Amino acid sequence: ATQRRSAQEGRDQLNRLEVLLEHERVRQRSCAAENEAMRQQLEARLVGAVVPGGPQDLQAMKREIERRYAKVGELDAEQQQLTAEVVRLRAALRDCPPDGGGAVAQMMTATSGATGRIGLACEGAATPKTDI
């Protein structure tokens, strides 16, 4: 019973990470779309469209575009990290025997924001997978 509960907790944690990963993907797509719109607006200004405030506005817009591209880069790195975490958790859950062969032990150490580090181990298994 304890082993099944532990395995279920591991699956629940995996599901939560998948939801978080999808949320981050949505955020990344939104930022990318916003950056593209800003890039198009900047291009329109550079090719002779009406420039309301002149060079000051252009410099501010360039800085904002660079800031947003940096944010997209950060979101992409976070998405890759979450994807890798989901893959590791799935592999750890597959390695654990489903009935009676071992219990899944979890540990989450909060780092920053909504991300964390998960460790799964199959207790009683020949080679425990820890700090995955």
Side-chain angles (χ1 to χ4, degrees):
T2 303
Q3 294 167 348
R4 285 190 186 125
R5 183 176 43 98
S6 294
Q8 184 60 44
E9 288 174 359
R11 285 195 247 354
D12 291 345
Q13 182 65 35
L14 177 62
N15 289 336
R16 286 190 295 271
L17 282 170
E18 286 174 335
V19 168
L20 180 60
L21 174 62
E22 185 56 33
H23 173 73
E24 291 301 322
R25 284 179 176 159
V26 168
R27 277 184 46 202
Q28 181 183 16
R29 284 190 294 266
S30 173
C31 285
E34 193 173 341
N35 284 341
E36 180 61 22
M38 290 181 70
R39 187 189 63 74
Q40 289 174 356
Q41 187 178 25
L42 178 61
E43 278 183 7
R45 286 183 179 192
L46 291 175
V47 295
V50 178
V51 180
Q56 293 280 357
D57 283 347
L58 187 58
Q59 290 301 320
M61 185 175 274
K62 284 182 180 179
R63 284 191 303 275
E64 181 64 15
I65 288 171
E66 289 175 13
R67 184 188 71 78
R68 290 186 182 211
Y69 271 116
K71 182 66 175 172
V72 167
E74 291 171 11
L75 290 172
D76 184 50
E78 187 175 347
Q79 177 184 348
Q80 290 175 5
Q81 184 181 31
L82 288 169
T83 300
E85 192 71 20
V86 166
V87 169
R88 285 190 297 267
L89 286 170
R90 281 184 179 149
L93 285 172
R94 273 193 307 268
D95 290 346
C96 291
D99 295 337
V104 177
Q106 295 190 36
M107 171 181 65
M108 180 165 184
T109 306
T111 53
S112 64
T115 62
R117 187 80 175 146
I118 305 295
L120 291 178
C122 297
E123 296 172 358
T127 333
K129 309 284 185 199
T130 57
D131 197 31
I132 294 184

